[in-house]
Amino acid sequence: MAIAPIFKKAYWSLAAAGGLYFVFLFLLLNEKLQRQMHSALYAHKVHTAWWQDLNQPSQWGFSKNQVQPFNISTPDGELLYAWHILPVAVYSKHQGALAKAPEGPPEDVTLSTAFELLVNDPESRLVIYFHGNAGTVAQGWRTDTYRTLASGAADKIHVLTADYRGFGYSSGTPTEDGLIVDGIALVNWALHVARIPPEHIVILGQSLGTAVLTAVAEHFAVNFQVEFAGLVLVAAFSDMPTLMLTYSIGGLVPILSALKPYPKLQQYFSKGIRDTWHTANRMSNLVRHSKNINLVLIHAKNDFDIPWKHSDALFSTAANATSKEGMTFEQMDGVMQHTDLGEAGWTNTWNAGGPDGGINRIKLEILRHGGKQMLLP
């Protein structure tokens, strides 16, 4: 019996699509194409600010000079573009002086009114925000997040964020090592230029930013025994190869998820991923070197880009790292505090004694709704 022309066309279309997909996968093993692939994953050239000027944050609803743009140099010669967002009440009190200054990065940010308001107030608190892939410091919901954070304690919470290398107005090209250098440079600016004590600093990361945050916090804990007031990871992932097993570019183009029925093929191609971002390993090392870690993981159950199970696994990794001998899941369940929030979701909390009498606080909050972008604000 002859196959109807419409079914023939559908058959050959599917066969061609499948063939092109496998060609795409094999091409990814080429080093040059891997670099292009990583560009797609970082998506640093994808943004919605083509017709807007990041040096004029008022285009995103901020008052004039409530945001102070400036540049930070990295040890390897890149220039990062950063924003310092003032607390609402602080801005209102000093609006006259702030509004007189020209918009854009000053030659020396330490001479700016915004900088003086940050460093001269002993009650200042600082949230350092590491954003996810794609876009700029002004992308999508990010500006709403800054406003929410800066109004949390309207007289004291400042927000500091920057575009990684290759993003927005920052120089360079993104790589795993490079983004970690960028994150360390941003925190060093807060600690040593702005002279904000670490106990007044909370570091918050979202999506890709959670991997940067963990690597940066590990660096300071291991090398300098510096711990911060809090670490908040929103929509974290355990490592890039594992994430790629389910991830799709833009939610449409699968990387390795189409090979789910063939796990050996998935493993074969996942080995070709260069920037692995092994957050789970870094998380474990971070906790083991911390005396008083205050760690919060937040994830939406309906996040279809990064499954919430990643944060669940990281919570277990972090809690397990508080014990020298390690623990089974059954042992952890017996000690962990679980709180059912009904339709809102649930929380798991782990409190354990740290070295020298310290306390390690680790919390997982799973929300039933919110996706990835709407968790903050």
Side-chain angles (χ1 to χ4, degrees):
M1 183 177 178
I3 300 176
I6 189 170
F7 291 114
K8 275 188 176 181
K9 187 176 292 187
Y11 170 80
W12 288 112
S13 296
L14 287 172
L20 287 173
Y21 176 68
F22 275 96
V23 170
F24 164 75
L25 290 176
F26 278 105
L27 286 175
L28 290 183
L29 299 179
N30 179 278
E31 187 174 349
K32 291 183 179 179
L33 286 169
Q34 271 195 39
R35 285 196 291 268
Q36 295 299 320
M37 183 62 203
H38 279 77
S39 294
L41 293 176
Y42 288 118
H44 55 293
K45 296 301 182 184
V46 178
H47 61 82
T48 57
W50 293 108
W51 314 115
Q52 293 172 298
D53 184 358
L54 295 176
N55 288 325
Q56 295 182 336
S58 56
Q59 295 178 358
W60 286 271
F62 292 101
S63 298
K64 184 180 179 182
N65 288 336
Q66 183 188 356
V67 178
Q68 177 61 71
F70 67 103
N71 295 310
I72 295 176
S73 298
T74 68
D76 58 348
E78 301 298 349
L79 198 64
L80 306 181
Y81 181 81
W83 273 10
H84 166 205
I85 301 95
L86 288 163
V88 175
V90 172
Y91 175 81
S92 297
K93 185 177 180 180
H94 301 276
Q95 185 173 12
L98 288 161
K100 291 178 182 178
E103 292 184 291
E107 288 188 16
D108 186 351
V109 70
T110 64
L111 301 179
S112 68
T113 302
F115 182 82
E116 292 177 357
L117 292 172
L118 170 65
V119 302
N120 291 337
D121 182 0
E123 293 301 311
S124 288
R125 300 296 188 269
L126 184 64
V127 176
I128 300 177
Y129 178 79
F130 291 130
H131 66 66
N133 71 334
T136 68
V137 290
Q139 185 75 20
W141 298 100
R142 290 170 190 166
T143 52
D144 291 329
T145 298
Y146 311 149
R147 268 189 285 269
T148 300
L149 294 171
S151 60
D155 60 340
K156 64 178 65 175
I157 297 180
H158 298 247
V159 180
L160 177 65
T161 188
D163 276 327
Y164 313 115
R165 61 187 63 202
F167 288 71
Y169 293 169
S170 297
S171 65
T173 302
T175 63
E176 180 173 358
D177 290 342
L179 265 62
I180 295 171
V181 170
D182 297 344
I184 293 171
L186 189 63
V187 174
N188 270 329
W189 184 91
L191 291 173
H192 303 299
V193 179
R195 302 186 302 279
I196 306 299
E199 59 269 23
H200 287 186
I201 296 174
V202 170
I203 308 180
L204 188 155
Q206 191 155 10
S207 188
L208 173 64
T210 64
V212 179
L213 180 163
T214 307
V216 170
E218 179 197 27
H219 167 83
F220 282 97
V222 172
N223 297 302
F224 304 104
Q225 294 74 55
V226 170
E227 297 181 69
F228 301 93
L231 305 174
V232 182
L233 286 72
V234 180
F237 57 93
S238 56
D239 61 81
M240 188 63 74
T242 301
L243 177 61
M244 287 301 100
L245 298 180
T246 58
Y247 189 77
S248 297
I249 299 175
L252 298 173
V253 182
I255 306 298
L256 297 176
S257 57
L259 295 178
K260 188 176 181 179
Y262 312 101
K264 289 187 178 180
L265 276 177
Q266 274 191 327
Q267 293 175 9
Y268 174 76
F269 286 109
S270 67
K271 291 178 181 178
I273 297 174
R274 288 191 311 142
D275 287 4
T276 54
W277 288 106
H278 278 295
T279 295
N281 294 345
R282 288 174 172 141
M283 178 75 71
S284 180
N285 198 37
L286 164 63
V287 173
R288 292 189 188 283
H289 284 82
S290 297
K291 296 180 180 179
N292 290 283
I293 195 168
N294 187 8
L295 173 68
V296 179
L297 296 131
I298 304 173
H299 216 124
K301 195 175 181 183
N302 66 339
D303 184 339
F304 300 112
D305 289 333
I306 304 176
W308 67 273
K309 287 289 188 180
H310 281 267
S311 286
D312 188 45
L314 287 171
F315 172 80
S316 297
T317 296
N320 197 48
T322 63
S323 169
K324 291 182 179 180
E325 297 78 19
M327 294 171 288
T328 65
F329 287 111
E330 290 75 16
Q331 289 173 323
M332 290 178 59
D333 286 340
V335 180
M336 176 184 71
Q337 298 174 8
H338 176 81
T339 304
D340 189 345
L341 303 176
E343 184 60 25
W346 68 89
T347 65
N348 292 333
T349 305
W350 181 269
N351 295 320
D356 302 325
I359 299 177
N360 290 318
R361 299 178 177 88
I362 302 164
K363 183 177 181 180
L364 170 69
E365 185 167 352
I366 301 297
L367 306 178
R368 294 190 186 278
H369 311 285
K372 180 170 65 177
Q373 302 301 334
M374 291 298 291
L375 289 181
L376 291 172

